[in-house]
Amino acid sequence: MKQVIPPAKVKRLRVSLRNIGAGGMLGAALGVAALVPCTVYAAQQQQPPAPCHPNPHAAEDRETILNRGDIRQLPDALENRLAELAGRPHSQLPTQAYAEAAQPSQLFQYYLLDTTGFEPNPFTSLFPGINDMAMLTATGPDCGLSTIGAVREVLEPKPDLPTDPNNVRAFIDVFTDISGLFVINNESGWYEGWMIHDLRVAPVGAPLSGGRAQFGTITASDAAALQAKGSHHNVPGEIFTMDGNAVRFPSSADHFPDRQTNVVPIQLSMGAWNTLQQSDGHAYWEFNYTTNWIHPLYELPFTGGIPGTFEAGQIGALQSIIPGSGPAGVKNDPIRYGDNPNTKGVLQASGPRDPDKFDADVDSQREFRQRFIPSGLAKEVFLDVYERLISFEPSVTDFKKRLFDAYAAEVARVDTNGDGVISAAEGDVDTASDGFPDNERLFIPATQFNRFAVTREINDGLLAPRFAPSQKAWVLSGFLVPVNPAVPASAGRDGDDR
């Protein structure tokens, strides 16, 4: 059995494999002769078997990554995963992280991704009689080489902005690098990354007048009702579970619909991307208060990922194409709130909808037709649905009604003009709402997104993840790894420091 070099030793051996001659002369000179064959094997072991074609520059590419300025100070596990990606067949090396400030960007957390942490599905696995004679549409290229990836999150130390990633005003770059996804282009297919925050049991606070819970809290009565369920797991601070039992994250032993995770995910989109010719994918995304917004939660009953909804014919029964606060809230005029093809006219912000048009010198030029809502407001909706069993509609047990009512109610607290939409101006972090001096509370910090997943999407018109909240369209996943203290993780300067 061949020995695989431990990650720590791979990092120590920063020498060019091209310079290792017969008999490992350079290794012997450095006192690491025994490591040379292991290192060579580490560079070769991730090559696909015949008849697929290996990367002929594997050792050189791994060395390049291990010594690149934005990589060489990273934690061992992350550095070696990136080197592993570089050694495989690829169209490009893992994306270079450039600084967007005078000082280097700082890595404060990362995720390592693979296909082992969720139920096998037709995108990732072959099932006899179903797709065993068909091509896998996601994982499985390069003659069965496993699909893996890495996500780096680095803070930009910009002037006048926070340098603490726990602060929702910080600006953060997210780099995703993946090996082993086929190119997808039929029916507008793509892959999408998602940072996942698992809902926690909120702290107990005194209710407001009328019995409503304060923002971010539950009442003592709510807490008692939660703790009475299951094995009494749901106490403040713990990850919330729907059955009241111990946390059960997605696993390869799951079986839809009878065995699923019992946590409640809030999934933040990292945007869509496709893969390159040799099945590697690379995506860049900016995390800040202008992008930290969640898909319309009222789409969830119509994605097919909630047991029973497919059988009830609910797939695609409702969409958010015209922004509003959902079935229990405001329904808007599609002429005023639809995706207007005109670039001129009397309509405010007329033209194609552009969610990135967040900032402007005058509010009238900021996007007012946002379909998403800030992540912390999405969390507030889920507190109403799952945790405020007494303080929010105690007589209502139907999931869809609780969700629709909670969505409309929480949007209304921030929506100052009553149109059922959280506009860029209304959702800005500096805007006052619901008696608070600003909207900091409306955003979940990057450091609280404890999982990451990649999904195989297709154009179904929904903004929610395909089959959410199940894992039926997942192709990769992984857990957060914090890095404290943060380490330098950029080299060179970006052409535009925005």
Side-chain angles (χ1 to χ4, degrees), residues 416-434:
T416 56
N417 66 355
D419 65 353
V421 179
I422 307 296
S423 69
E426 291 168 333
D428 192 286
V429 71
D430 293 318
T431 300
S433 65
D434 197 27

Side-chain angles (χ1 to χ4, degrees), residues 244-376:
N245 296 322
V247 171
R248 189 174 66 253
F249 286 119
S251 79
S252 58
D254 286 351
H255 181 272
F256 186 85
D258 50 290
R259 178 178 171 81
Q260 292 283 280
T261 178
N262 60 358
V263 302
V264 176
I266 298 174
Q267 295 187 228
L268 174 66
S269 172
M270 302 288 100
W273 77 86
N274 217 316
T275 49
L276 302 179
Q277 183 178 8
Q278 299 210 67
S279 298
D280 55 319
H282 308 272
Y284 168 79
W285 191 77
E286 294 186 354
F287 180 107
N288 55 60
Y289 59 81
T290 74
T291 63
N292 190 0
W293 293 52
I294 304 296
H295 61 85
L297 297 177
Y298 60 80
E299 286 188 348
L300 289 174
F302 311 104
T303 67
I306 296 175
T309 55
F310 170 78
E311 292 79 2
Q314 292 295 300
I315 294 289
L318 181 146
Q319 296 184 0
S320 65
I321 294 174
I322 306 304
S325 50
V330 178
K331 296 176 178 61
N332 284 309
D333 178 1
I335 295 178
R336 179 165 173 77
Y337 285 83
D339 200 7
N340 186 347
N342 299 306
T343 56
K344 296 181 180 180
V346 297
L347 296 181
Q348 180 190 26
S350 66
R353 182 191 300 110
D354 183 3
D356 288 335
K357 195 165 58 179
F358 197 92
D359 288 319
D361 292 335
V362 293
D363 283 348
S364 63
Q365 293 184 15
R366 304 174 76 177
E367 185 58 75
F368 74 99
R369 298 162 295 177
Q370 303 275 33
R371 295 162 70 182
F372 284 39
I373 60 174
S375 60

Side-chain angles (χ1 to χ4, degrees), residues 20 36 76 79 85 140 153 192-193 204 221 279 281 301 334-335 350-351 372 415 444:
I20 297 175
V36 170
D76 290 0
E79 187 181 58
L85 297 174
E153 301 206 353
E192 193 156 353
V204 175
S221 297
S279 298
I335 295 178
S350 66
F372 284 39
D415 167 28
I444 300 172

Side-chain angles (χ1 to χ4, degrees), residues 45-80:
Q45 65 172 327
Q46 288 299 328
Q47 302 311 309
C52 291
H53 310 292
N55 173 10
H57 309 292
E60 178 182 356
D61 288 342
R62 285 172 57 87
E63 179 200 352
T64 297
I65 283 296
L66 288 170
N67 289 283
R68 206 170 74 186
D70 61 323
I71 303 295
R72 63 186 177 214
Q73 298 187 65
L74 302 184
D76 290 0
L78 175 59
E79 187 181 58
N80 283 288

Side-chain angles (χ1 to χ4, degrees), residues 67-106:
N67 289 283
R68 206 170 74 186
D70 61 323
I71 303 295
R72 63 186 177 214
Q73 298 187 65
L74 302 184
D76 290 0
L78 175 59
E79 187 181 58
N80 283 288
R81 172 59 61 86
L82 294 171
E84 185 177 358
L85 297 174
R88 290 176 168 210
H90 59 262
S91 295
Q92 71 174 62
L93 292 173
T95 303
Q96 170 126 7
Y98 293 99
E100 295 194 43
Q103 301 300 317
S105 300
Q106 300 290 308

